[in-house]
Amino acid sequence: AAAAAPARRVRQAMPADAVLINANENPLGPCKAACEAIASIAPKGGRYDIDGETDKLIKTFASQNGLKENYIAVYAGSSEPLHYSVLAFTSPTKGFVTADPSYEAGMRAAQVAKAKISKVPLKPDYSHDVKAMIAADPNAGVFYICNPNNPTGTITSKADILWALENKPKGSILLVDEAYIHLSDAENVVDQVAADKDIIILRTFSKIYGMAGIRCGFALGRPDLLAKLQPFGQNAMPITGSAAANVSLLDTDLVPTRKKIIADTRNDTFAFLKANNYKFIPSQSNCFMIDTGRNGQQVIAAMRAKNVYIGRTWPIWPNTVRVSVGTPAEMAKFKVAFKEVMDSAPT
Ligand code: PLP
């Protein structure tokens, strides 16, 4: 008999006192206004969105970003539109091109679509090698650019993204994943959506806005491009997600304040890494990579034994582990555990 399918879950339950710096989450959680919006709207949860929470969110984002409302599609996070965009624009004859290492969810969708997958190594400065990406597959349907990139936290210039947009094959799209854009100094490319280019931008409230468990995200694009995503699923938005996202956007101090909190903690951790001669990639995001000089899986297991859960390795760099930026207290525990692990002989 076929094995039972595993239960659908994003992650297993973790020990209560574990340091969770493995999933690029935001330990600050939703802002105060978002928590209040969630609490006050919860009693209306027996209905679909009767008060138009998702419309309010679209109006807010449209006016803040100079976009028409029909260029914004709201989802329960950005994973859905990422998946749907790849399913819509790749096929056995239309390939998927991604950087390596990069966020792999789009590649998994391309595997479902039976598309040819081209993985193009990052440049020595860890930006996307847009020239090599465009050259990689003249029949590609999707070029995926994650800016800042996950797992490296490094950025790709707007000039490079515009070059890719101008030089990609006809009929393809650029899928620009801006999940971490607010954490960095990277320039967003929303003006290219407004200019009706062949581009879909993904945004999420899971990162700087601290709403990974609440769920809200956007696909931004020309209405005809967004329409191609619809056949893959049209789930209703949780009203909690839309209401919390709307008030988060209206709190204009939130992004700069949180960007600084996370950057300060990240830079303090970098100072520790530098002082101890550990090799790391300078990141502008809430995650960074450390070259451990030994098998990364063993480092991850040894850290886990000390109750510190760090992220994973990518196949192209088996000695390099991804670490998310937690609270200062969590990073203090990380430093102690990491030094102990690195001071011990590799197993
Ligand atoms: N894109 C990138 C680059 C990510 O790192 C993640 C999550 O880690 C996502 C998209 C999906 O996040 P969500 O579905 O929570 O918006």
Side-chain angles (χ1 to χ4, degrees):
R8 184 180 182 278
R9 63 183 176 197
V10 171
R11 71 136 63 113
Q12 291 174 291
M14 297 283 180
D17 57 348
V19 174
L20 297 181
I21 47 175
N22 58 341
N24 293 357
E25 293 157 329
N26 187 342
L28 299 168
C31 67
K32 190 161 170 286
C35 291
E36 288 168 0
I38 291 164
S40 79
I41 205 157
K44 294 187 180 174
R47 307 249 177 224
Y48 297 109
D49 188 0
I50 47 169
D51 289 341
E53 297 303 329
T54 307
D55 282 349
K56 288 181 214 164
L57 170 63
I58 289 173
K59 282 190 166 48
T60 301
F61 190 83
S63 74
Q64 289 181 342
N65 291 277
L67 280 179
K68 291 186 194 135
E69 290 173 24
N70 58 346
Y71 284 58
I72 302 164
V74 184
Y75 291 88
S78 61
S79 293
E80 273 176 84
L82 169 55
H83 221 85
Y84 298 168
S85 299
V86 176
L87 293 179
F89 293 96
T90 68
S91 71
T93 58
K94 289 165 80 183
F96 177 81
V97 181
T98 180
D100 193 18
S102 190
Y103 189 56
E104 290 166 324
M107 188 175 78
R108 308 257 179 267
Q111 285 164 348
V112 173
K114 298 191 165 51
K116 178 186 162 195
I117 292 165
S118 304
K119 292 167 131 187
V120 178
L122 294 172
K123 291 209 290 197
D125 68 357
Y126 304 105
S127 65
H128 286 58
D129 191 341
V130 291
K131 295 213 161 125
M133 287 179 75
I134 296 300
D137 184 359
N139 298 313
V142 172
F143 296 87
Y144 174 73
I145 294 180
C146 188
N147 195 33
N149 192 38
N150 178 6
T152 52
T154 49
I155 67 177
T156 298
S157 72
K158 184 165 181 177
D160 278 353
I161 296 174
L162 297 189
W163 187 91
L165 199 50
E166 291 310 314
N167 290 280
K168 65 176 187 52
K170 231 175 131 69
S172 65
I173 64 156
L174 226 57
L175 183 59
V176 181
D177 188 335
E178 295 187 343
Y180 300 92
I181 195 91
H182 297 111
L183 292 156
S184 73
D185 295 329
E187 269 188 277
N188 73 62
V189 289
V190 173
D191 59 347
Q192 300 305 300
V193 170
D196 285 331
K197 297 290 173 60
D198 296 330
I199 184 172
I200 293 178
I201 297 179
L202 303 170
R203 288 282 181 92
T204 182
F205 286 84
S206 297
K207 306 302 175 186
I208 204 156
Y209 295 105
M211 287 177 32
I214 303 293
R215 311 304 293 149
C216 188
F218 294 139
L220 312 174
R222 264 188 355 242
D224 65 294
L225 298 180
L226 297 182
K228 293 215 163 68
L229 277 49
Q230 282 180 7
F232 295 97
Q234 297 191 48
N235 199 7
M237 272 301 291
I239 55 173
T240 45
S242 289
N246 188 36
V247 295
S248 297
L249 290 180
L250 293 172
D251 178 351
T252 49
D253 285 339
L254 190 64
V255 166
T257 304
R258 290 183 162 200
K259 182 182 176 188
K260 178 164 174 9
I261 290 170
I262 291 164
D264 287 350
T265 309
R266 182 187 66 224
N267 293 338
D268 172 78
T269 309
F270 286 175
F272 155 84
L273 294 172
K274 217 179 250 169
N276 287 280
N277 291 318
Y278 300 130
K279 281 208 284 182
F280 65 97
I281 298 174
S283 153
Q284 291 200 14
S285 186
N286 68 342
C287 64
F288 55 88
M289 298 201 92
I290 307 174
D291 180 354
T292 65
R294 60 177 83 171
N295 184 307
Q297 297 302 336
Q298 287 171 9
V299 174
I300 292 163
M303 292 293 283
R304 195 187 310 130
K306 295 176 186 295
N307 218 12
V308 178
Y309 288 72
I310 61 171
R312 59 187 186 87
T313 59
W314 263 247
I316 190 175
W317 295 341
N319 293 350
T320 302
V321 294
R322 189 191 71 187
V323 177
S324 304
V325 178
T327 61
E330 287 171 330
M331 298 320 280
K333 288 185 188 168
F334 160 80
K335 290 177 197 169
V336 172
F338 189 71
K339 192 154 173 18
E340 283 172 3
V341 167
M342 295 305 288
D343 284 349
S344 65
T347 49

